[in-house]
Amino acid sequence: RRALQENRASIEKATLVSLCRAANAHNDLQRVLAEAYAALRQSLPFDAFVATVYDPVADMNVLSYSVAAGEVFVDNLVGPVPNSLQGYIVRHRCSLHFDDLYNEIERYQGVQIVHFGGDTRMRSWIGVPMVLGDGRAVGMLSVQHALPGLYSEQDLRFLEQVAVPVAIAIEKAMLLQQRDREIAVLTAQTELSEALGRAHDVRTALEVALTALEKSFPDQVYVLYAIDREGTIVAALCKENGQLYRDLGVGAAIQAHGLSYYILCQPGPVRFNSGHELEA
C-alpha cells in the first residue's frame, strides 16, 4: 500500500511539474487546456474531461476544451454560463464531488447536467474552479467516469492542485490579450481619426469606420447608421457574412422601441452578451 501511495505521489508531482512548465511556456489558452487534459490522463482515470475559461466581467465562458470518448470538442460550452454543474462551480467558486451523479444531483435544485459526446451517462464526477489569488474564478476543470464511486477526496484535492497552474496560465494569457487589444484599439483609433479627416462625405466616413471596426472586431455583423436631428437615416452601411449592403433604410426614421432607438437613448455604450439580455 505504501508503495502505491509513493507511486501515486510521484505521478501527481510529475503532472504538476509538467503543467507548470506548460503554463510558463504557452500563451495559447487552448493549448494550455489541452496540456491539462494530456497531463491528467497520466494521473486520473476518466471518460470525459471539461475545461472552461470564464470571463467574470462578462459572466460568460470565452473558451472551452472538452473531450469525451476520445473526441475533442472546442468551444462547445462558450457563451453565457448555463445553469449547469460547470456554471455552478464557477459562480460559487466551489469544488463538487459526486459518487453517483444522477442519484445525487437532486440536492442542487435547478442545476442541469450538460451532455456532450454521446449518450453514456457519467456517474463519477469531480469538478473544481480555477481561482486567482484575488478570488476571481477564471474557469473550471472537471473529470468524469461512467462507473460510480470511482473518485476519492484525494482525487478532488489533486484536481484542485492542478487548477492552480492552469489558472495562472489563464491570467497570464488574458493580460497579454488585453494588452494586445488595447494596442490594437489605440492603433485603430489613430488610423480612424486620420482617415476621417480625409473623408469628404458621410458615406465615405462610414466606410472608413467599417474598415476600422473590422480590424478590431473581425468576423462580426456590422451595422452603421448616420442620422439627422430628426432621427432619419441619411446613410447606412451593413456587412454580414462578407456581404456589404449600402443605404438600407435611408430616408426612414429610426423606429421607436427598436434596438437602434434604445441605443440612441442611452447615455453611453451598450453591450449585450446574449439574446436573453435583449428579452429582459
Side-chain angles (χ1 to χ4, degrees):
R1 181 179 178 84
R2 182 177 179 180
L4 289 174
Q5 289 177 338
E6 289 177 350
N7 184 57
R8 171 169 181 154
S10 176
I11 292 173
E12 290 181 353
K13 181 179 179 180
T15 299
L16 293 171
V17 169
S18 173
L19 280 173
C20 287
R21 286 174 179 166
N24 289 323
H26 306 307
N27 296 325
D28 183 339
L29 285 178
Q30 183 176 317
R31 186 169 179 181
V32 171
L33 298 184
E35 292 272 5
Y37 164 76
L40 281 170
R41 290 297 295 172
Q42 310 302 315
S43 312
L44 289 173
F46 55 84
D47 293 322
F49 167 89
V50 175
T52 64
V53 176
Y54 171 74
D55 182 344
V57 176
D59 188 25
M60 63 186 296
N61 291 328
V62 295
L63 178 68
S64 68
Y65 184 91
S66 310
V67 184
E71 184 176 1
V72 176
F73 301 85
V74 176
D75 290 347
N76 61 317
L77 297 174
V78 162
V81 178
N83 193 27
S84 63
L85 285 170
Q86 289 86 357
Y88 186 95
I89 286 172
V90 167
R91 286 197 174 105
H92 293 272
R93 297 187 298 280
C94 68
S95 301
L96 293 179
H97 177 194
F98 297 94
D99 287 320
D100 197 339
L101 177 60
Y102 287 85
N103 289 331
E104 300 172 35
I105 190 64
E106 293 179 357
R107 67 175 181 258
Y108 295 90
Q109 293 185 358
V111 176
Q112 300 174 346
I113 301 171
V114 175
H115 295 278
F116 66 95
D119 299 326
T120 302
R121 287 191 167 195
M122 299 295 118
R123 299 177 68 182
S124 293
W125 202 103
I126 53 176
V128 302
M130 292 187 283
V131 181
L132 300 178
D134 60 7
R136 286 180 296 135
V138 292
M140 61 79 58
L141 293 173
S142 170
V143 294
Q144 307 153 34
H145 203 284
L147 294 176
L150 192 67
Y151 299 123
S152 65
E153 286 299 309
Q154 184 178 355
D155 294 325
L156 186 65
R157 299 286 84 81
F158 172 61
L159 193 59
E160 289 176 335
Q161 289 180 295
V162 167
V164 173
V166 183
I168 292 171
I170 290 172
E171 181 182 35
K172 174 186 171 186
M174 282 184 164
L175 288 173
L176 290 172
Q177 289 173 0
Q178 181 180 351
R179 182 204 63 183
D180 291 342
R181 282 196 300 269
E182 289 173 352
I183 292 173
V185 168
L186 288 173
T187 302
Q189 287 176 340
T190 301
E191 293 175 352
L192 177 60
S193 179
E194 293 173 351
L196 287 174
R198 297 190 295 270
H200 300 296
D201 57 69
V202 175
R203 287 179 175 81
T204 303
L206 290 185
E207 290 177 356
V208 168
L210 175 62
T211 300
L213 284 172
E214 288 181 303
K215 289 181 179 179
S216 299
F217 305 96
D219 302 321
Q220 306 290 324
V221 176
Y222 312 91
V223 179
L224 297 89
Y225 289 144
I227 61 174
D228 61 18
R229 293 178 181 275
E230 286 71 41
T232 300
I233 300 172
V234 297
L237 197 60
C238 306
K239 190 170 186 179
E240 183 177 7
N241 297 325
Q243 184 67 43
L244 188 63
Y245 304 92
R246 289 184 172 86
D247 294 335
L248 288 179
V250 166
I254 296 291
Q255 295 295 311
H257 310 301
L259 180 57
S260 297
Y261 183 83
Y262 172 83
I263 292 171
L264 288 171
C265 292
Q266 303 310 304
V270 178
R271 179 181 66 186
F272 296 105
N273 285 319
S274 73
H276 296 298
E277 294 180 46
L278 283 171
E279 294 169 2

